[in-house]
Amino acid sequence: MTLALPRRASAEFAGTALLVTAVVGSGIAATRLSPSDVGLQLLENAIATALALGALILIFGPVSGAHLNPMVSAVDWWLGRRAGTGLTGRDLVTYAVAQVGGAITGAVLAHLMFGLPAATWSRTVRGGSHLLLAEVVATAGLVVLVFALARSGRTAAAPAAVGAWIGAAYWFTSSTSFANPAVTVGRAVTDTFAGIAPASVPGFLAAQLAGGVLAVAALALWYPHAADTAGDVVVPHLTRETEAR
């Protein structure tokens, strides 16, 4: 029996909020510290995001699995729906709402910490088929990674591995690897280094969905029994029984 849904949802809300705070806040700091070097700004943003993501998985993973990403949650539900190992439909909706709400809250928090207006629509247009292809690759790779770790019993490596994938994908994808629908929405309300114009959001969401579908196909080929361990994604969750020990 898993922990109560409100408790898990609160972890997903807080974890996603802090993730976006790290993404947006480090982007703001980078532009202030290195105003004339975009490459250095991206490096600073990527390192801070990768390290923060690993730490957040360690904090919230035992409570909710630390999905922090509606696409991870959706694939978890899809793979585990017949085996009864992943999220239920109710869990999925609750997680997704918590993640999106957390992402927007995280952007607001970053703004307030740096003395900016609470929210401003981004004017950074991110369009083009090359960026959408990059989002497909970034999202598919992330989803395959977390389910492969669970299926092979290596979830202890998830904080480092997931952080490493996102940190690296900042550099080897042209989109800088959003790979997360909630984070994409949250980054639409910040007109800073990490922002994405609202008009660009639907394309990114569609590409991330395509990446999730591609990941499901890849898992069916490479890890055909991934559904058996869907409940361990991103890391195994606490249960009432283990909590009481």
Side-chain angles (χ1 to χ4, degrees):
M1 183 180 295
T2 56
L3 291 176
L5 182 56
R7 184 172 173 182
R8 288 183 283 133
S10 70
E12 289 295 303
F13 177 91
T16 310
L18 290 172
L19 173 59
V20 174
T21 298
V23 173
V24 174
S26 63
I28 297 170
T31 57
R32 294 182 179 182
L33 294 170
S34 311
S36 60
D37 191 333
V38 177
L40 184 55
Q41 292 170 9
L42 183 63
L43 178 62
E44 292 162 349
N45 190 208
I47 291 174
T49 299
L51 293 177
L53 180 54
L56 291 171
I57 292 172
L58 289 171
I59 295 170
F60 296 107
V63 181
S64 66
H67 292 190
L68 314 182
N69 186 330
M71 191 50 58
V72 171
S73 298
V75 173
D76 187 68
W77 164 76
W78 178 261
L79 291 181
R81 69 194 191 286
R82 293 180 179 174
T85 54
L87 297 179
T88 66
R90 178 169 174 260
D91 290 345
L92 171 60
V93 172
T94 303
Y95 268 44
V97 170
Q99 290 155 355
V100 173
I104 295 171
T105 301
V108 171
L109 176 59
H111 278 210
L112 295 178
M113 289 197 299
F114 283 91
L116 299 176
T120 51
W121 293 116
S122 175
R123 293 170 291 178
T124 303
V125 176
R126 300 177 188 263
S129 59
H130 61 296
L131 295 182
L132 301 183
L133 175 60
E135 278 302 290
V136 173
V137 171
T139 306
L142 174 64
V143 173
V144 170
L145 171 63
V146 297
F147 282 88
L149 289 173
R151 184 68 188 100
S152 57
R154 296 175 294 163
T155 53
V162 174
W165 174 264
I166 293 299
Y170 256 84
W171 289 90
F172 73 74
T173 67
S174 58
S175 66
T176 66
S177 183
F178 284 47
N180 185 325
V183 169
T184 302
V185 172
R187 289 170 68 166
V189 298
T190 176
D191 192 24
T192 61
F193 181 79
I196 177 172
S200 300
V201 168
F204 268 55
L205 297 183
Q208 291 156 1
L209 177 59
V213 172
L214 178 60
V216 169
L219 289 167
L221 177 63
W222 298 329
Y223 293 91
H225 299 290
D228 295 344
T229 52
D232 292 338
V233 171
V234 170
V235 297
H237 320 0
L238 280 174
T239 64
R240 289 196 180 95
E241 289 78 4
T242 57
E243 185 189 39
R245 293 175 185 170

